[in-house]
Amino acid sequence: MTHNPLLTIECPKLLSHKETIVISHWKRSVCGLGVAVLVLASCRKTETAGGAGATPSPAVASETSAQAATGGAAPGGDTSRAPFGFLDTPKEGAAVKAGSWAFGWALDDSGIAQVTVAADSGQTSPVALGQPFPGVAKDHPAYPNADKAGFGFPVPTLASGPHTLVVTLVARDGGRTEIRRQIRIP
Protein backbone atom coordinates (compact mmCIF):
# COMPACT_ATOMS: atom_id res chain seq x y z
CA MET A 1 0.00 0.00 0.00
CA THR A 2 1.38 3.43 -0.92
CA HIS A 3 1.35 6.39 1.41
CA ASN A 4 -0.58 9.44 0.14
CA PRO A 5 0.82 12.65 1.69
CA LEU A 6 -2.33 14.59 0.79
CA LEU A 7 -4.40 12.40 3.09
CA THR A 8 -2.04 12.57 6.04
CA ILE A 9 -3.56 14.20 9.12
CA GLU A 10 -1.20 15.55 11.71
CA CYS A 11 -2.10 16.16 15.31
CA PRO A 12 -1.33 19.66 16.51
CA LYS A 13 1.83 19.86 18.57
CA LEU A 14 2.22 21.77 21.77
CA LEU A 15 4.17 24.99 21.36
CA SER A 16 7.40 25.53 23.20
CA HIS A 17 7.73 28.47 25.58
CA LYS A 18 9.88 30.31 23.01
CA GLU A 19 7.30 29.77 20.22
CA THR A 20 4.53 31.02 22.53
CA ILE A 21 6.52 34.21 23.27
CA VAL A 22 7.20 34.81 19.57
CA ILE A 23 3.50 34.43 18.74
CA SER A 24 2.60 36.75 21.62
CA HIS A 25 5.03 39.43 20.38
CA TRP A 26 3.70 39.03 16.85
CA LYS A 27 0.11 39.52 18.04
CA ARG A 28 1.11 42.67 19.96
CA SER A 29 2.88 44.03 16.87
CA VAL A 30 -0.16 43.43 14.69
CA CYS A 31 -2.43 45.06 17.29
CA GLY A 32 -0.04 48.02 17.52
CA LEU A 33 -0.14 48.42 13.76
CA GLY A 34 -3.94 48.30 13.90
CA VAL A 35 -3.95 51.10 16.48
CA ALA A 36 -1.58 53.15 14.32
CA VAL A 37 -3.87 52.71 11.32
CA LEU A 38 -6.88 53.79 13.38
CA VAL A 39 -5.01 56.85 14.68
CA LEU A 40 -3.98 57.80 11.18
CA ALA A 41 -7.48 57.20 9.80
CA SER A 42 -8.36 60.80 10.61
CA CYS A 43 -5.28 62.17 8.81
CA ARG A 44 -5.98 64.54 5.96
CA LYS A 45 -3.74 66.37 3.54
CA THR A 46 -4.48 69.98 2.83
CA GLU A 47 -3.03 71.48 -0.30
CA THR A 48 -2.04 75.11 -0.40
CA ALA A 49 -2.28 77.29 -3.44
CA GLY A 50 0.93 79.21 -3.94
CA GLY A 51 3.27 77.14 -1.78
CA ALA A 52 3.99 76.47 1.86
CA GLY A 53 3.27 80.01 3.10
CA ALA A 54 -0.23 80.23 1.64
CA THR A 55 -3.54 79.68 3.41
CA PRO A 56 -4.82 76.08 3.19
CA SER A 57 -7.46 75.52 0.57
CA PRO A 58 -10.88 74.33 1.71
CA ALA A 59 -10.71 71.66 -1.01
CA VAL A 60 -9.02 68.81 0.82
CA ALA A 61 -8.09 65.48 -0.70
CA SER A 62 -8.32 62.83 1.97
CA GLU A 63 -6.37 59.61 2.04
CA THR A 64 -7.44 56.24 3.32
CA SER A 65 -5.97 55.09 6.62
CA ALA A 66 -3.84 52.48 4.85
CA GLN A 67 -2.42 55.13 2.54
CA ALA A 68 -1.68 57.46 5.46
CA ALA A 69 -0.01 54.66 7.43
CA THR A 70 2.20 53.68 4.52
CA GLY A 71 2.69 57.10 2.95
CA GLY A 72 0.85 55.90 -0.18
CA ALA A 73 -0.41 58.14 -2.93
CA ALA A 74 -3.84 59.71 -2.70
CA PRO A 75 -6.68 58.27 -4.79
CA GLY A 76 -7.25 59.36 -8.37
CA GLY A 77 -3.62 59.30 -9.47
CA ASP A 78 -2.57 62.28 -7.32
CA THR A 79 1.11 61.75 -6.55
CA SER A 80 1.24 64.13 -3.59
CA ARG A 81 1.29 62.44 -0.21
CA ALA A 82 0.18 63.65 3.18
CA PRO A 83 2.81 63.82 5.88
CA PHE A 84 2.53 60.81 8.11
CA GLY A 85 3.97 59.70 11.42
CA PHE A 86 3.19 58.42 14.86
CA LEU A 87 2.95 59.84 18.38
CA ASP A 88 4.65 57.13 20.44
CA THR A 89 4.23 58.67 23.88
CA PRO A 90 2.04 59.54 25.64
CA LYS A 91 -0.25 56.63 24.88
CA GLU A 92 -3.98 57.17 24.26
CA GLY A 93 -5.77 57.90 27.57
CA ALA A 94 -2.54 57.92 29.58
CA ALA A 95 -2.13 59.93 32.77
CA VAL A 96 0.76 62.34 32.18
CA LYS A 97 2.26 65.14 34.20
CA ALA A 98 2.62 68.56 32.64
CA GLY A 99 6.21 69.04 31.49
CA SER A 100 6.85 65.32 30.90
CA TRP A 101 8.24 64.63 27.45
CA ALA A 102 6.26 63.24 24.53
CA PHE A 103 7.93 61.63 21.50
CA GLY A 104 7.02 60.63 17.96
CA TRP A 105 8.17 60.75 14.36
CA ALA A 106 7.06 62.37 11.09
CA LEU A 107 7.89 61.96 7.39
CA ASP A 108 6.78 63.38 4.06
CA ASP A 109 8.03 62.93 0.50
CA SER A 110 8.84 66.67 0.41
CA GLY A 111 10.36 66.67 3.91
CA ILE A 112 8.93 67.93 7.21
CA ALA A 113 8.99 71.71 7.66
CA GLN A 114 7.65 71.78 11.21
CA VAL A 115 5.67 69.97 13.87
CA THR A 116 3.38 71.95 16.16
CA VAL A 117 1.60 70.94 19.36
CA ALA A 118 -1.47 72.50 20.90
CA ALA A 119 -3.79 71.40 23.68
CA ASP A 120 -7.56 71.78 23.66
CA SER A 121 -7.16 74.77 25.98
CA GLY A 122 -4.99 76.57 23.41
CA GLN A 123 -1.71 75.95 25.27
CA THR A 124 1.19 75.27 22.91
CA SER A 125 4.56 73.67 23.43
CA PRO A 126 7.88 74.01 21.58
CA VAL A 127 8.87 70.97 19.51
CA ALA A 128 12.42 69.65 19.04
CA LEU A 129 12.80 68.27 15.48
CA GLY A 130 15.52 66.27 13.77
CA GLN A 131 15.90 63.57 16.40
CA PRO A 132 16.73 59.95 15.62
CA PHE A 133 13.83 57.54 16.14
CA PRO A 134 14.47 53.78 16.15
CA GLY A 135 13.35 51.87 13.05
CA VAL A 136 12.02 54.78 10.98
CA ALA A 137 15.04 55.08 8.63
CA LYS A 138 15.05 51.31 8.13
CA ASP A 139 11.31 51.16 7.39
CA HIS A 140 11.17 54.33 5.21
CA PRO A 141 14.63 54.79 3.65
CA ALA A 142 13.38 56.71 0.60
CA TYR A 143 12.01 59.64 2.62
CA PRO A 144 14.08 62.79 3.24
CA ASN A 145 15.72 62.85 6.69
CA ALA A 146 14.26 59.48 7.69
CA ASP A 147 17.28 59.04 9.97
CA LYS A 148 16.19 62.21 11.85
CA ALA A 149 12.40 61.85 11.70
CA GLY A 150 11.93 61.98 15.48
CA PHE A 151 10.46 64.86 17.43
CA GLY A 152 9.87 65.57 21.10
CA PHE A 153 8.03 68.12 23.18
CA PRO A 154 7.12 68.79 26.80
CA VAL A 155 3.44 68.24 27.57
CA PRO A 156 1.93 71.73 28.06
CA THR A 157 0.92 72.91 31.53
CA LEU A 158 -2.77 72.05 31.79
CA ALA A 159 -5.43 71.86 34.48
CA SER A 160 -6.19 68.46 36.01
CA GLY A 161 -8.55 66.30 33.98
CA PRO A 162 -8.93 65.00 30.43
CA HIS A 163 -7.38 66.91 27.53
CA THR A 164 -6.70 66.50 23.82
CA LEU A 165 -3.26 67.11 22.34
CA VAL A 166 -3.20 68.01 18.64
CA VAL A 167 0.13 67.35 16.94
CA THR A 168 0.24 68.89 13.46
CA LEU A 169 2.78 67.59 10.95
CA VAL A 170 3.55 70.24 8.32
CA ALA A 171 5.31 69.19 5.12
CA ARG A 172 7.64 71.40 3.09
CA ASP A 173 5.09 71.25 0.23
CA GLY A 174 2.38 72.64 2.54
CA GLY A 175 0.59 69.37 3.30
CA ARG A 176 -0.68 68.94 6.86
CA THR A 177 -1.71 66.00 9.00
CA GLU A 178 -3.13 66.14 12.52
CA ILE A 179 -2.62 63.46 15.13
CA ARG A 180 -5.00 63.77 18.08
CA ARG A 181 -4.26 62.14 21.41
CA GLN A 182 -6.49 62.01 24.48
CA ILE A 183 -4.54 62.34 27.75
CA ARG A 184 -5.36 62.89 31.39
CA ILE A 185 -3.51 65.28 33.69
CA PRO A 186 -3.59 63.98 37.29
Side-chain angles (χ1 to χ4, degrees), residues 5 24 34 60 72 80-81 131 142 162 169 186:
S24 175
V60 176
S80 62
R81 298 177 180 169
Q131 308 299 312
L169 315 177

Side-chain angles (χ1 to χ4, degrees), residues 164-178:
T164 301
L165 291 178
V166 180
V167 178
T168 304
L169 315 177
V170 182
R172 293 194 185 284
D173 66 4
R176 294 176 179 270
T177 300
E178 287 185 349

Side-chain angles (χ1 to χ4, degrees), residues 5 14 17-18 25 40 52 90 95 117 136 164:
L14 295 177
H17 180 70
K18 185 176 181 179
H25 287 294
L40 292 172
V117 176
V136 175
T164 301

